[in-house]
Short mmCIF file of all heavy atoms in Angstrom, two decimals:
data_model
loop_
_atom_site.label_atom_id
_atom_site.label_comp_id
_atom_site.label_asym_id
_atom_site.label_seq_id
_atom_site.Cartn_x
_atom_site.Cartn_y
_atom_site.Cartn_z
N LYS A 13 -1.29 6.70 -16.02
CA LYS A 13 -2.59 7.35 -15.82
C LYS A 13 -3.34 6.72 -14.66
O LYS A 13 -3.87 7.41 -13.78
CB LYS A 13 -3.42 7.27 -17.10
CG LYS A 13 -4.78 7.95 -16.97
CD LYS A 13 -5.59 7.82 -18.25
CE LYS A 13 -6.97 8.45 -18.08
NZ LYS A 13 -7.81 8.27 -19.30
N GLU A 14 -3.39 5.39 -14.64
CA GLU A 14 -4.08 4.68 -13.56
C GLU A 14 -3.40 4.96 -12.22
O GLU A 14 -4.07 5.08 -11.18
CB GLU A 14 -4.10 3.19 -13.83
CG GLU A 14 -4.97 2.77 -15.01
CD GLU A 14 -4.93 1.28 -15.26
OE1 GLU A 14 -4.31 0.55 -14.44
OE2 GLU A 14 -5.51 0.84 -16.26
N ARG A 15 -2.09 5.07 -12.25
CA ARG A 15 -1.33 5.34 -11.02
C ARG A 15 -1.68 6.71 -10.47
O ARG A 15 -1.89 6.88 -9.26
CB ARG A 15 0.16 5.23 -11.32
CG ARG A 15 1.05 5.11 -10.09
CD ARG A 15 2.50 4.91 -10.51
NE ARG A 15 3.40 4.75 -9.39
CZ ARG A 15 3.74 3.58 -8.86
NH1 ARG A 15 3.23 2.46 -9.33
NH2 ARG A 15 4.57 3.51 -7.83
N ARG A 16 -1.74 7.73 -11.35
CA ARG A 16 -2.11 9.08 -10.92
C ARG A 16 -3.51 9.09 -10.31
O ARG A 16 -3.76 9.74 -9.30
CB ARG A 16 -2.04 10.05 -12.10
CG ARG A 16 -0.63 10.48 -12.49
CD ARG A 16 -0.66 11.69 -13.40
NE ARG A 16 -1.44 11.49 -14.60
CZ ARG A 16 -0.95 11.02 -15.75
NH1 ARG A 16 0.33 10.69 -15.83
NH2 ARG A 16 -1.73 10.86 -16.80
N GLU A 17 -4.43 8.37 -10.96
CA GLU A 17 -5.80 8.32 -10.46
C GLU A 17 -5.86 7.66 -9.08
O GLU A 17 -6.59 8.11 -8.20
CB GLU A 17 -6.69 7.56 -11.46
CG GLU A 17 -6.91 8.31 -12.76
CD GLU A 17 -7.64 7.48 -13.80
OE1 GLU A 17 -7.80 6.25 -13.57
OE2 GLU A 17 -8.04 8.04 -14.84
N MET A 18 -5.08 6.59 -8.90
CA MET A 18 -5.07 5.90 -7.60
C MET A 18 -4.47 6.78 -6.51
O MET A 18 -4.99 6.84 -5.39
CB MET A 18 -4.28 4.59 -7.71
CG MET A 18 -4.19 3.82 -6.40
SD MET A 18 -5.81 3.40 -5.73
CE MET A 18 -6.37 2.22 -6.97
N LEU A 19 -3.41 7.50 -6.83
CA LEU A 19 -2.80 8.41 -5.86
C LEU A 19 -3.77 9.53 -5.46
O LEU A 19 -3.80 9.95 -4.31
CB LEU A 19 -1.51 8.99 -6.42
CG LEU A 19 -0.32 8.01 -6.48
CD1 LEU A 19 0.79 8.56 -7.36
CD2 LEU A 19 0.21 7.71 -5.07
N GLU A 20 -4.58 9.98 -6.42
CA GLU A 20 -5.58 11.01 -6.13
C GLU A 20 -6.65 10.45 -5.19
O GLU A 20 -7.10 11.15 -4.27
CB GLU A 20 -6.22 11.50 -7.42
CG GLU A 20 -7.17 12.67 -7.25
CD GLU A 20 -6.51 13.93 -6.73
OE1 GLU A 20 -5.29 14.10 -6.93
OE2 GLU A 20 -7.22 14.76 -6.10
N GLN A 21 -7.02 9.20 -5.39
CA GLN A 21 -7.99 8.56 -4.50
C GLN A 21 -7.41 8.40 -3.09
O GLN A 21 -8.10 8.63 -2.09
CB GLN A 21 -8.38 7.20 -5.06
CG GLN A 21 -9.23 7.25 -6.32
CD GLN A 21 -9.55 5.87 -6.87
OE1 GLN A 21 -9.66 4.91 -6.12
NE2 GLN A 21 -9.68 5.77 -8.17
N ILE A 22 -6.14 8.02 -3.03
CA ILE A 22 -5.47 7.87 -1.73
C ILE A 22 -5.41 9.21 -1.01
O ILE A 22 -5.60 9.28 0.22
CB ILE A 22 -4.06 7.28 -1.93
CG1 ILE A 22 -4.17 5.79 -2.32
CG2 ILE A 22 -3.21 7.43 -0.67
CD1 ILE A 22 -2.86 5.15 -2.71
N LYS A 23 -5.17 10.27 -1.75
CA LYS A 23 -5.11 11.61 -1.17
C LYS A 23 -6.38 11.95 -0.41
O LYS A 23 -6.35 12.59 0.65
CB LYS A 23 -4.88 12.63 -2.29
CG LYS A 23 -4.91 14.09 -1.84
CD LYS A 23 -4.74 15.01 -3.03
CE LYS A 23 -4.84 16.47 -2.61
NZ LYS A 23 -4.70 17.38 -3.77
N ASN A 24 -7.52 11.53 -0.93
CA ASN A 24 -8.81 11.89 -0.34
C ASN A 24 -9.45 10.77 0.48
O ASN A 24 -10.55 10.93 0.98
CB ASN A 24 -9.78 12.32 -1.45
CG ASN A 24 -9.30 13.58 -2.15
OD1 ASN A 24 -9.06 14.59 -1.53
ND2 ASN A 24 -9.12 13.50 -3.47
N GLU A 25 -8.75 9.64 0.63
CA GLU A 25 -9.29 8.49 1.35
C GLU A 25 -9.28 8.75 2.86
O GLU A 25 -8.26 9.14 3.43
CB GLU A 25 -8.46 7.25 1.03
CG GLU A 25 -8.90 5.99 1.74
CD GLU A 25 -10.33 5.62 1.41
OE1 GLU A 25 -10.59 5.25 0.26
OE2 GLU A 25 -11.18 5.71 2.34
N THR A 26 -10.42 8.53 3.52
CA THR A 26 -10.49 8.73 4.97
C THR A 26 -10.23 7.44 5.75
O THR A 26 -10.02 7.49 6.96
CB THR A 26 -11.88 9.28 5.36
OG1 THR A 26 -12.89 8.37 4.92
CG2 THR A 26 -12.11 10.65 4.73
N ARG A 27 -10.24 6.30 5.07
CA ARG A 27 -9.94 5.03 5.73
C ARG A 27 -8.42 4.80 5.73
O ARG A 27 -7.68 5.38 4.94
CB ARG A 27 -10.63 3.88 5.01
CG ARG A 27 -12.14 3.93 5.06
CD ARG A 27 -12.77 2.94 4.11
NE ARG A 27 -12.50 3.27 2.72
CZ ARG A 27 -12.95 2.57 1.68
NH1 ARG A 27 -13.71 1.50 1.88
NH2 ARG A 27 -12.66 2.94 0.45
N THR A 28 -7.94 3.94 6.60
CA THR A 28 -6.54 3.52 6.58
C THR A 28 -6.28 2.77 5.27
O THR A 28 -7.09 1.95 4.84
CB THR A 28 -6.23 2.62 7.79
OG1 THR A 28 -6.49 3.35 8.99
CG2 THR A 28 -4.80 2.15 7.79
N ILE A 29 -5.14 3.06 4.64
CA ILE A 29 -4.83 2.49 3.33
C ILE A 29 -3.70 1.47 3.46
O ILE A 29 -2.68 1.74 4.12
CB ILE A 29 -4.40 3.59 2.34
CG1 ILE A 29 -5.48 4.67 2.24
CG2 ILE A 29 -4.09 3.02 0.97
CD1 ILE A 29 -5.01 6.05 2.61
N ILE A 30 -3.86 0.31 2.83
CA ILE A 30 -2.83 -0.74 2.85
C ILE A 30 -2.31 -0.94 1.43
O ILE A 30 -3.07 -1.19 0.50
CB ILE A 30 -3.39 -2.07 3.39
CG1 ILE A 30 -4.06 -1.87 4.74
CG2 ILE A 30 -2.27 -3.11 3.48
CD1 ILE A 30 -4.76 -3.11 5.26
N LEU A 31 -0.98 -0.85 1.28
CA LEU A 31 -0.34 -1.07 -0.01
C LEU A 31 0.77 -2.10 0.13
O LEU A 31 1.41 -2.20 1.20
CB LEU A 31 0.29 0.23 -0.54
CG LEU A 31 -0.61 1.41 -0.87
CD1 LEU A 31 0.25 2.61 -1.26
CD2 LEU A 31 -1.57 1.07 -1.99
N TYR A 32 1.03 -2.85 -0.92
CA TYR A 32 2.20 -3.72 -1.00
C TYR A 32 3.25 -3.01 -1.86
O TYR A 32 2.90 -2.26 -2.78
CB TYR A 32 1.86 -5.05 -1.67
CG TYR A 32 1.04 -6.00 -0.83
CD1 TYR A 32 0.36 -7.06 -1.42
CD2 TYR A 32 0.95 -5.88 0.55
CE1 TYR A 32 -0.39 -7.95 -0.68
CE2 TYR A 32 0.20 -6.76 1.31
CZ TYR A 32 -0.47 -7.80 0.68
OH TYR A 32 -1.21 -8.69 1.43
N GLU A 33 4.53 -3.26 -1.58
CA GLU A 33 5.56 -2.72 -2.46
C GLU A 33 6.82 -3.57 -2.42
O GLU A 33 7.19 -4.09 -1.36
CB GLU A 33 5.89 -1.26 -2.08
CG GLU A 33 6.69 -0.53 -3.14
CD GLU A 33 6.08 -0.68 -4.55
OE1 GLU A 33 6.38 -1.70 -5.21
OE2 GLU A 33 5.32 0.21 -4.96
N ALA A 34 7.45 -3.69 -3.58
CA ALA A 34 8.72 -4.40 -3.71
C ALA A 34 9.86 -3.45 -3.38
O ALA A 34 9.73 -2.23 -3.53
CB ALA A 34 8.87 -4.93 -5.13
N PRO A 35 11.00 -3.98 -2.93
CA PRO A 35 12.10 -3.10 -2.49
C PRO A 35 12.61 -2.16 -3.58
O PRO A 35 12.94 -1.01 -3.29
CB PRO A 35 13.18 -4.09 -2.05
CG PRO A 35 12.81 -5.40 -2.66
CD PRO A 35 11.32 -5.40 -2.75
N HIS A 36 12.67 -2.62 -4.83
CA HIS A 36 13.23 -1.78 -5.90
C HIS A 36 12.29 -0.66 -6.34
O HIS A 36 12.69 0.20 -7.12
CB HIS A 36 13.63 -2.64 -7.10
CG HIS A 36 12.54 -3.52 -7.62
ND1 HIS A 36 12.13 -4.65 -6.97
CD2 HIS A 36 11.78 -3.44 -8.75
CE1 HIS A 36 11.17 -5.24 -7.65
NE2 HIS A 36 10.93 -4.52 -8.73
N HIS A 37 11.04 -0.66 -5.85
CA HIS A 37 10.10 0.42 -6.17
C HIS A 37 9.75 1.27 -4.95
O HIS A 37 9.02 2.25 -5.08
CB HIS A 37 8.80 -0.17 -6.74
CG HIS A 37 8.95 -0.75 -8.11
ND1 HIS A 37 8.23 -1.86 -8.54
CD2 HIS A 37 9.73 -0.38 -9.15
CE1 HIS A 37 8.56 -2.14 -9.78
NE2 HIS A 37 9.48 -1.25 -10.16
N LEU A 38 10.26 0.90 -3.78
CA LEU A 38 9.81 1.55 -2.55
C LEU A 38 10.11 3.05 -2.52
O LEU A 38 9.24 3.86 -2.17
CB LEU A 38 10.45 0.87 -1.33
CG LEU A 38 10.01 1.46 0.02
CD1 LEU A 38 8.53 1.18 0.27
CD2 LEU A 38 10.87 0.90 1.15
N LYS A 39 11.32 3.44 -2.88
CA LYS A 39 11.69 4.86 -2.82
C LYS A 39 10.77 5.71 -3.71
O LYS A 39 10.28 6.76 -3.29
CB LYS A 39 13.14 5.05 -3.26
CG LYS A 39 14.16 4.50 -2.28
CD LYS A 39 15.57 4.81 -2.73
CE LYS A 39 16.61 4.28 -1.78
NZ LYS A 39 17.99 4.63 -2.20
N LYS A 40 10.52 5.23 -4.93
CA LYS A 40 9.66 5.97 -5.86
C LYS A 40 8.24 6.09 -5.30
O LYS A 40 7.64 7.17 -5.34
CB LYS A 40 9.62 5.26 -7.21
CG LYS A 40 8.66 5.89 -8.20
CD LYS A 40 8.54 5.06 -9.48
CE LYS A 40 7.49 5.64 -10.42
NZ LYS A 40 7.30 4.78 -11.62
N THR A 41 7.72 4.99 -4.77
CA THR A 41 6.35 4.99 -4.24
C THR A 41 6.21 5.94 -3.05
O THR A 41 5.23 6.68 -2.95
CB THR A 41 5.94 3.57 -3.85
OG1 THR A 41 5.90 2.76 -5.04
CG2 THR A 41 4.56 3.54 -3.21
N LEU A 42 7.18 5.93 -2.15
CA LEU A 42 7.12 6.83 -1.00
C LEU A 42 7.14 8.29 -1.43
O LEU A 42 6.40 9.13 -0.88
CB LEU A 42 8.29 6.55 -0.05
CG LEU A 42 8.22 5.25 0.75
CD1 LEU A 42 9.50 5.03 1.54
CD2 LEU A 42 7.01 5.23 1.69
N LYS A 43 7.95 8.63 -2.43
CA LYS A 43 8.01 10.00 -2.92
C LYS A 43 6.68 10.41 -3.57
O LYS A 43 6.21 11.54 -3.40
CB LYS A 43 9.15 10.15 -3.93
CG LYS A 43 10.52 10.14 -3.27
CD LYS A 43 11.64 10.25 -4.30
CE LYS A 43 13.01 10.22 -3.62
NZ LYS A 43 14.11 10.27 -4.62
N GLU A 44 6.06 9.48 -4.31
CA GLU A 44 4.76 9.77 -4.94
C GLU A 44 3.67 9.96 -3.89
O GLU A 44 2.82 10.84 -4.02
CB GLU A 44 4.38 8.64 -5.90
CG GLU A 44 5.23 8.61 -7.16
CD GLU A 44 4.90 7.42 -8.04
OE1 GLU A 44 4.59 6.33 -7.50
OE2 GLU A 44 4.93 7.57 -9.27
#
């Protein structure tokens, strides 16, 4: 739930967004 909410915020964010990600989660995060 929190992840969906954060992705919705990112969708509407006008500033540049910085995220960290581990290699084993990268593919999933990029698709989301």
Side-chain angles (χ1 to χ4, degrees):
K13 181 181 177 183
E14 292 179 5
R15 196 176 182 92
R16 283 195 303 270
E17 291 173 350
M18 179 58 68
L19 287 166
E20 186 63 26
Q21 290 178 30
I22 288 172
K23 175 183 177 181
N24 296 304
E25 179 60 67
T26 58
R27 295 169 294 181
T28 300
I29 304 121
I30 307 174
L31 296 175
Y32 287 162
E33 194 49 276
H36 54 286
H37 289 146
L38 181 67
K39 290 184 180 182
K40 175 186 175 184
T41 296
L42 288 174
K43 287 178 180 178
E44 289 176 324

